[in-house]
Amino acid sequence: MDDRTLRTAIAAADGDDPYRALRDLHRARVEVNLALDRAEAVAVRRARAAGSSWQLIALALEVSKQAVHKKYGRR
C-alpha cells in the first residue's frame, strides 16, 4: 500500500459515509499488517543468517524467546 492510498483511507474517516470509511480503514489495516509481517519475517531470517540468537531477536521484537522461535523457528 502506498502513502497516498493510506492517507486517503485515513481521510475517509472524516467523510460523509461512515460505512465506507470503516471498510477502507479495515482494508488499509489488513494491507499494512501483511506488509509488516513480511518485512519482519525477512528481518528475522537476515538476523539469524548473521548469527543473532533467538533471545536477541526476541528482545528486539519485545516478545519472549519462545514466541519468536515458535513463529519463525521452523521455517
Side-chain angles (χ1 to χ4, degrees), residues 7-58:
R7 278 186 257 126
T8 300
I10 292 169
D14 290 329
D16 294 333
D17 185 350
Y19 178 77
R20 179 174 178 235
L22 290 168
R23 190 182 64 229
D24 290 349
L25 289 167
H26 173 73
R27 189 176 306 125
R29 182 187 308 270
V30 168
E31 288 184 39
V32 167
N33 285 339
L34 287 173
L36 289 173
D37 287 346
R38 285 190 296 264
E40 181 177 281
V42 168
V44 168
R45 284 195 303 272
R46 291 182 63 213
R48 289 295 293 164
S52 295
S53 68
W54 288 114
Q55 182 64 40
L56 184 61
I57 295 167

